[in-house]
Amino acid sequence: MKNYFIGIFILIGILFSCSSDSNDNSSLPLVIEIRIKDIASIDSFSAQITTTIASNGGNDVVERGVIWSTSTNPTIDLPTKTNDGTGIGTFTTTISGLLGNTTYYVRSYLTNNSGTIYSGQNQFTTSSVALLPELSTDNVNVSTLSSADCTYTIFSDNENEIIARGVVWSTSINPTIYNSSKTNDGVGTGSFISYISNLSVDTTYYIRAYATNSIGTSYGEQREFTTSSELMNDIAIGNQVWMYKNLAVSTYRNGDAIQYVDTSNEVAVWPDLTTGAWCNYQDNSLNDAIYGKLYNWYAVNDPRGLAPVGYHVPSSEEWNTLISYLGGTAVAGEKLRSVSRWQTTGEENYTFLNRSGFTGLPGGYRSSALDLNYYSIGITGRWWSSTQNGQALANIVKLDAGYRRCEVGPNRKNFGYSVRCIKD
């Protein structure tokens, strides 16, 4: 696309060739030089303007920037302007929110204590939207006090390969890749989920999906969401709603007590049980407060109900739905694990950011062997499913330190594992 540039040197008081918001030029500096140096990176929604202020004529520049319009000779009275600081020199700014295949007129400006001076007018035309990617911003889910996830779909690259995609967000409307926080989720078309973190609480954000090809960048619909400082009892992940922490009840839903079995004087009891029981890791109630209780599967399967009213222990199918939503067995653990309390192997080349909000803690487990020992707190987290797998086995879900994996598999019913409930 060809850009048209007009190099303008405004000589105030000698040539009187400038334009000014002040009717009296007698107090303005004798020589002010301002011009648009370059217009670059033009796509269908934005352009990059470089301006040079070579001289202020001895009168300090208190504001400078760029203004643009589809009409000629735009002024600072328009809302379509930038504020790029003070002083002389060269500065570059990106203007955004433009329409595709549209001609715009642009001028730079400076303001001192006597008025506002404009550069000469330049013009450029944005690229055609039809050649840009086509996409939609689908759903936004606030998963924790300071994080969220956004699903989006790129329908078409319009025969120009997608070279970058993700989401952009800001506390201002119409965020772009130039002036907002963003993710970079790779290349290609399809349906995707993007995770954002380090948000401020009690704050409203605006978010859009973006996709870039060789023609430029296009955006999906803008969505709005608000973080909250209120205590969260549930976490929405995809179409499921999960409790925000592990279960720690000592009674069934009807009020009946669940048998407590520690290791102090009941060595032979735990491995032989076929009824529900619970314990704390290392028989320490401080672990209960952090990680919740450990239950055998018979407590999970008791008809009196282990989960509170409105919730149930998830089936293997429901666990697999969660894992699939978070990218599959190979990587879901990265998004389920809590940020803290996990031991590190020193070999991880990735970061666990709890992007789903699930906050999977490494609560360890209780063995079903006669030694009745507790194992692997800080190293593994394991949760029961409600799905039986043969006479002596039931399916569990496990996360392990040093691995991104999360998988469902069988284990003996008389082990002690954590329980995380899902909403009915």
Side-chain angles (χ1 to χ4, degrees), residues 222-299:
Q222 177 176 276
R223 306 293 184 191
E224 178 181 337
F225 68 94
T226 302
T227 56
S228 173
S229 59
E230 295 181 4
L231 178 65
M232 296 181 64
N233 293 316
D234 296 317
I235 302 101
I237 308 175
N239 294 323
Q240 298 173 317
V241 178
W242 294 80
M243 273 192 174
Y244 77 106
K245 65 179 182 178
N246 292 342
L247 197 63
V249 298
S250 57
T251 62
Y252 292 109
R253 187 180 295 180
N254 68 351
D256 291 348
I258 307 170
Q259 185 179 0
Y260 171 58
V261 181
D262 62 18
T263 59
S264 61
N265 55 13
E266 299 184 73
V267 173
V269 173
W270 184 274
D272 294 331
L273 284 171
T274 56
T275 56
W278 68 271
C279 59
N280 293 320
Y281 191 93
Q282 296 289 30
D283 304 330
N284 187 338
S285 61
L286 294 178
N287 288 321
D288 182 311
I290 299 170
Y291 301 101
K293 291 177 168 55
L294 301 176
Y295 301 89
N296 65 14
W297 189 78
Y298 301 105

Side-chain angles (χ1 to χ4, degrees), residues 178-201:
Y178 301 107
N179 61 7
S180 309
S181 300
K182 68 176 181 178
T183 63
N184 192 335
D185 300 329
V187 299
T189 61
S191 295
F192 307 97
I193 180 171
S194 196
Y195 301 91
I196 62 178
S197 56
N198 298 320
L199 302 173
S200 299
V201 298

Side-chain angles (χ1 to χ4, degrees), residues 365-377:
Y365 64 93
R366 185 175 184 175
S367 171
S368 67
L370 289 177
D371 63 9
L372 296 176
N373 283 341
Y374 296 92
Y375 293 96
S376 302
I377 197 168

